[in-house]
Amino acid sequence: MRDFRWPPPPDGGPRTWGPGPGAPRTGRPALPEPETEMVTTPHGVRLEQLVTGAGEPTTVFAHGLANGIATTRPFGSAVTGRRVFFQFRGHGRSDTPPGPWSYLDLARDLRAVADLSGASRGFGVSLGAGALCRLLVESPERFERLVFFLPAVLDRPRDTKARPWLAELLAAIESGEASAVADVVSVELPPAVRNTPAGWAYLRQRLDHLLRDGLATELAALLEQAPLRDATALGAVTAPALVIGCTGDDRHPVEVAEALAGVLPSATLHVYDRPGVLWTDRADLRDRISTFLND
C-alpha cells in the first residue's frame, strides 16, 4: 500500500498537476526539538526523559509501542502542572538491557520515572496503558487520577494482526532505508491526511527518530504477552479514571477499552466512532483529557 511519494515534495505537501498556482509553499520552519535528559532508575536502566511545564500536579505520560516522547506530547498540551514524558527501554536513547522483557519490566520503568518526578497522575497510551495497568496491580493507590488512551491489551495477548506490522517496521529500520520505514509508518495516518503538509511533517519526524535511534527487537516478544493475569485485580484501584477507545482500530480493539472501564471502579468510558482520533478529533481529545486531569 503506497498512495504517497517518498521522498516528499520540497514544499512539504502533495504535488498537483494542471493549470493553477505553482509557487512553492514555504511556511514556517520546524521548531527545534527540546533537549531531553537521561535519568538513571533504581533498577539500573537509564531512560530518556523530557519535563515541561511547572507547578503541581505532576503527570507522567507513557507512550505506545514504537512511539515515544514526540508522539505523546500532544496529549499533554493543555494539561496544567509539570508534564513528564519518557521513553521506555528499547525506544529512543533509553537503554536496551538484555531481554526477554515483560510488562513488569515496563511497569518498573514507568514507576521509576513517576517516583523520581513525584508524579501523582498517570497517562498511558496503547503499550503505555498496559504498563500502567501492570503497575496499578502492584500499587493500586499510586496515582490520584488516570487516563488510558487506546488500550491494546489487558489479560489476553494482542491479536495477531499487530505482529506483522511490528516485524515489518523492525525490518525496515534495520535496512536503513527511509522509504521502507515510510511505507510502514504511513499506515498510522488516516487516508485523508496522507500527502498533506501535516502528514509529511509527521512522517519526517517519525522517520528522523526511528532511523536515528532505532528500535529494539526485544519489543517483539511483548506482542505475545498480556500485562495482567486477571483484569479483575484492577478492582482495587479507586482513583478516578478516564478510558478512551475508538471503533474500527484493529490494533486497539474497542472491546479492550470497554473491558478496562468495566473493571475500574471509578472509570468513565468515551468511545470515538472512527480511528485516527489525533487527526480527526484532536481538539475534542485535547479538551477531554485536560478537563479530566485538570479537575
Side-chain angles (χ1 to χ4, degrees), residues 3-193:
D3 55 0
F4 68 99
R5 181 169 66 85
W6 189 268
D11 57 10
R15 289 297 193 199
T16 55
W17 305 101
R25 281 170 280 175
T26 55
R28 288 184 290 179
L31 295 174
E33 292 187 11
E35 186 173 346
T36 59
E37 61 181 339
M38 300 297 294
V39 294
T40 301
T41 65
H43 54 287
V45 178
R46 296 195 319 143
L47 301 175
E48 186 178 7
Q49 172 184 280
L50 173 69
V51 180
T52 65
E56 296 297 334
T58 298
T59 306
V60 62
F61 292 80
H63 63 82
L65 180 64
N67 283 272
I69 292 172
T71 53
T72 313
R73 287 187 67 193
F75 298 113
S77 58
V79 175
T80 57
R82 294 172 71 238
R83 300 175 293 274
V84 181
F85 306 90
F86 75 101
Q87 314 257 64
F88 281 114
R89 62 183 62 201
H91 294 79
R93 295 194 296 134
S94 292
D95 284 350
T96 302
W101 305 334
S102 68
Y103 275 94
L104 179 59
D105 294 310
L106 301 183
R108 285 172 178 159
D109 291 349
L110 174 55
R111 179 194 295 275
V113 173
D115 289 349
L116 290 170
S117 63
S120 60
R121 302 183 177 199
F123 177 101
V125 53
S126 191
L127 179 80
L132 184 55
C133 287
R134 187 67 182 84
L135 187 162
L136 290 168
V137 167
E138 304 296 327
S139 303
E141 299 179 356
R142 175 61 186 79
F143 294 103
E144 297 173 356
R145 278 186 176 267
L146 300 157
V147 177
F148 302 87
F149 179 64
L150 299 183
V153 61
L154 201 54
D155 53 7
R156 296 179 182 178
R158 285 183 186 238
D159 188 279
T160 55
K161 293 178 181 178
R163 298 176 190 176
W165 163 78
L166 183 59
E168 291 175 9
L169 180 59
L170 290 170
I173 294 171
E174 180 66 22
S175 76
E177 295 291 334
S179 59
V181 181
D183 278 335
V184 183
V185 174
S186 66
V187 179
E188 301 172 9
L189 297 169
V193 177

Side-chain angles (χ1 to χ4, degrees), residues 21 72 78 101 202 210 230:
T72 313
W101 305 334
Y202 177 81
L210 291 170
D230 183 358

Side-chain angles (χ1 to χ4, degrees), residues 219-244:
L219 293 167
L222 292 170
L223 295 182
E224 301 176 1
Q225 303 177 35
L228 309 178
R229 291 183 179 178
D230 183 358
T232 61
L234 292 173
V237 179
T238 58
L242 173 63
V243 181
I244 302 174

